[in-house]
Amino acid sequence: MSTASEAGLEVRNGVYGATGQQGRLPTNIDAIFGADVFSERVMRQRLPKDVFKQLQRTIQKGEPLDAQLADVVAAAMKDWAVERGATHYTHWFQPLTGLTAEKHDAFIVPDGHGGALSEFTGSALVQGEPDASSFPSGGIRATFEARGYTAWDCTSPVFLTRNAGAVTLCIPTAFVSWTGEALDHKTPLLRSMEAVSTQALRLLRILGADAGASRVTATCGCEQEYFLVDSELYHRRPDLVACERTLFGAKPPKHQQLEDHYFGSIPTRVMAYMTECEREMYRLGVPVKTRHNEVAPGQYEIAPIFETANIAADHQMIVMEVLKKVAKRHGFECLLHEKPFAGVNGSGKHVNWSIATDTGSNLLDPRDETHTNMVFLCTLCAVIRAVDEHGDLLRASVAHASNDHRLGANEAPPAIMSIFLGDMLADIVEQLEAGSPKSTMKGGTLDLGATTLPQIPRHTGDRNRTSPFAFTGNKFEFRAVGSSQAVAWPTTVLNTIVADSLDKMCAELEKAIGKNAGNPAKLQSAVRGVLQGIVKKHKRVIFNGDGYDVAWHKEAAKRGLPNHRESVSALSVLTSKKNVQLFERFKVLSKIESESRSHIYLEKYVKQLLIEAETAAVIVRTQILPAAIRFQTELAEAVAATAAADVDPGETREQLEEYVELVGSLRKSLAKLEKESGHEGGDVQKHAEHVRDKVRPAMADLREIVDALEQEIPADLWPLPTYREMLHVK
């Protein structure tokens, strides 16, 4: 996406228009926010009143889309886009590659008289037809079965992208096969949102709460962590270019021991980059709010305000794209890999999840007297049961090769899915287990000891950064999601398992209440009984301590909590009978769609690691080994020259002998890696297991030797930029 000045654009009253000369973006957010979005405000201005109202009912209430509206909406979209310089449109979708995809079509059509007309029909808006055979399908589509469809997701705003002077109208869509199976992340997400809405509304009706609500919406806010490295250094590292992580690299004398980078002053060059990123995101309606240095040197974070889950998923893809594109303009490369540098903190993408009614009520807002808030307590217990019963599936939703470098390390939550509640909620849960909650713990205030400082309210619980799933005030923070990952899939899983838990709770309440639905005392008694049963059965998943502690891993095993330490075993649960039936029951995924995802994710795991293995081998053969031999030659010449001078080369000869042995080990380790990575593993499951059990250890062994050589070989001979050079942005 280009800057406004690059595209020759000017902003007046929040609207971009072609000026024919270089324009300058205003600095105030109000003037640019949503300027490139076909927003509700724009629709209100450009659509007939009845069309606008009908479309809003579809967007806000989930009513079926009236196909007759499409032509009117399409014409308005086209006029708006063309006024802003657009020449093409695209159905923008999220295939199972983990990236976004787009095919651009011009608005221009021949007029039959040697000229052309600008046209965009309702049918073109509603449906596209990309090639489905060229995207991962997990066996759903054969190579010769190319037809696929994209379908307009009218609940996610249409927007403009600007790239090298080209302006394109981007229409968020779902992507399905010719036979209707989901080939993307968006379709199951929308289905899961319907499922959780249905069950949450059912609960509200039982409780007699929020009678005006007609829809419950899953909401998300996604914190994006990333690294910046100088472009020149990046392009001298074949591993970063091909794999987005360093396959070799010894720790520098200073990395993050001093803990001085976190929340530190943002370097001037980085601030300029962040500012441009934010302005581009504002134009696209992405409500980014927070920016700061992260823990590792060269690591940063950007975070938006929460939004409806499908919009948040779309915006998260935009955030990643903008971060990468803008970085190049500032002489950076943006790394979204979970662990680009070994030995320093990796990057996550914390997904802050909640559910709220269309009347504005957050079901996970505890409020002041939490122990009396039946809606909150029921929703909380539903989440507790969901994470306990489906921890395996939640873990599988974040399983991929690059996240294996992070989960369980000291900067990330363990692979054990547990819940952190904090002191106040832990106390209430204990009261629920005893039968009836009677009080809410208060946090009070903090007196900071200086009269010039205000007394500040104290929260009733600390934050736990070691928990993979932590309650953080009025939402849950799913911290196990990887930084490179599309958030739609873990959000889909979270929505589905909570829908399942709410469904079970509603059935239990309905049975307990019986014919006494209008009796408040009977209702309260039924709620207390159901919640007490849930807590007693599922409290094992609650853990408020240190998730990094080895003792917790032992304790979790005693509690029977699953601990899939790596992705291959984690992904195996996708095709279990329990999980297949779960997705089928809520119409989120069919059996074949579940199976296809298992196949695709395992295949991606294999491909990613084999690319890394081949890249490592090439670097060693063409760069490391030649440098090692050159230094070996220098050592040998030094020994010979010393001996020729009738001086005992002693220590130098010992150094040479040890070094020759190290180089020999390098050759053997390289040969082993090449052998193991050339293995053909039969079906995708067996191949993934081989890569996990043989290729990854061989890569680790090779790295150990290369990193040792880096400490031996002089800097002028070492062929790769070092961690010392790359980690500290200048």
Side-chain angles (χ1 to χ4, degrees), residues 8 10 55 62 188 257 323 353 365 387 408 436 441 469 598 650 663 718:
E10 184 178 353
L55 185 58
Q257 312 98 312
L323 288 174
W353 177 92
D365 184 357
V387 176
S436 178
M441 184 184 295
F469 202 77
S598 174
V663 174
W718 189 251

Side-chain angles (χ1 to χ4, degrees), residues 608-624:
Q608 186 172 337
L609 282 173
L610 290 182
I611 289 171
E612 290 185 359
E614 185 172 348
T615 302
V618 168
I619 291 173
V620 170
R621 281 199 308 270
T622 62
Q623 293 182 272
I624 306 298

Side-chain angles (χ1 to χ4, degrees), residues 224-509:
Q224 178 70 61
E225 297 173 353
Y226 60 96
F227 280 83
L228 293 175
V229 297
D230 282 302
S231 294
E232 189 270 333
L233 299 175
Y234 169 88
H235 287 289
R236 287 168 54 198
R237 293 283 315 214
D239 46 3
L240 282 181
V241 173
C243 313
E244 212 174 57
R245 81 176 181 98
T246 54
L247 302 176
F248 309 109
K251 282 186 181 180
K254 182 180 184 296
H255 42 98
Q256 63 183 59
Q257 312 98 312
L258 297 178
E259 301 170 333
D260 58 345
H261 195 260
Y262 194 46
F263 280 17
S265 176
I266 300 172
T268 302
R269 186 179 165 201
V270 176
M271 180 63 81
Y273 160 74
M274 287 179 169
T275 302
E276 186 174 350
C277 284
E278 289 169 357
R279 288 165 69 181
E280 291 226 3
M281 294 174 196
Y282 290 150
R283 285 166 47 190
L284 295 167
V286 182
V288 291
K289 184 176 178 64
T290 302
R291 64 189 182 206
H292 61 83
N293 288 359
E294 258 296 337
V295 174
Q299 186 186 34
Y300 307 92
E301 179 177 302
I302 186 169
I305 300 170
F306 74 91
E307 302 176 278
T308 301
N310 65 312
I311 298 176
D314 285 353
H315 280 170
Q316 177 55 210
M317 303 307 291
I318 291 173
V319 166
M320 290 194 291
E321 183 179 347
V322 170
L323 288 174
K324 282 192 156 297
K325 285 187 176 182
V326 174
K328 298 179 186 298
R329 302 177 199 154
H330 292 260
F332 291 129
E333 292 290 336
C334 175
L335 306 179
L336 299 177
H337 193 284
E338 285 72 11
K339 198 75 168 179
F341 303 101
V344 301
N345 276 20
S347 298
K349 182 160 20 208
H350 306 166
V351 176
N352 295 278
W353 177 92
S354 189
I355 48 177
T357 67
D358 54 357
T359 57
S361 178
N362 181 355
L363 274 61
L364 281 172
D365 184 357
R367 302 178 187 173
D368 290 335
E369 298 299 320
T370 306
H371 68 284
T372 66
N373 188 343
M374 284 196 299
V375 171
F376 171 79
L377 294 177
C378 287
T379 307
L380 174 68
C381 288
V383 173
I384 291 171
R385 171 160 54 188
V387 176
D388 186 33
E389 290 186 342
H390 302 289
D392 60 339
L393 193 55
L394 204 59
R395 168 67 178 94
S397 75
V398 297
H400 51 99
S402 51
N403 212 18
D404 281 357
H405 295 284
R406 170 178 166 268
L407 287 185
N410 285 340
E411 80 279 0
I416 307 161
M417 294 296 107
S418 66
I419 293 176
F420 169 80
L421 293 179
D423 294 342
M424 184 269 284
L425 289 187
D427 179 63
I428 285 182
V429 166
E430 288 180 4
Q431 294 182 54
L432 283 170
E433 186 178 8
S436 178
K438 300 184 184 310
S439 63
T440 299
M441 184 184 295
K442 303 299 181 181
T445 59
L446 287 175
D447 187 345
L448 303 183
T451 57
T452 56
L453 295 175
Q455 290 190 339
I456 59 175
R458 180 181 181 272
H459 287 86
T460 54
D462 203 351
R463 299 186 71 185
N464 189 331
R465 308 298 289 174
T466 72
S467 174
F469 202 77
F471 188 77
T472 56
N474 60 359
K475 61 188 183 308
F476 279 98
E477 183 181 40
F478 188 19
R479 301 186 67 247
V481 182
S483 54
S484 67
Q485 192 173 357
V487 301
W489 173 233
T491 306
T492 296
V493 170
L494 187 52
N495 288 343
T496 305
I497 66 176
V498 172
D500 176 61
S501 186
L502 287 170
D503 177 38
K504 292 174 180 175
M505 177 180 288
C506 290
E508 292 162 355
L509 287 172

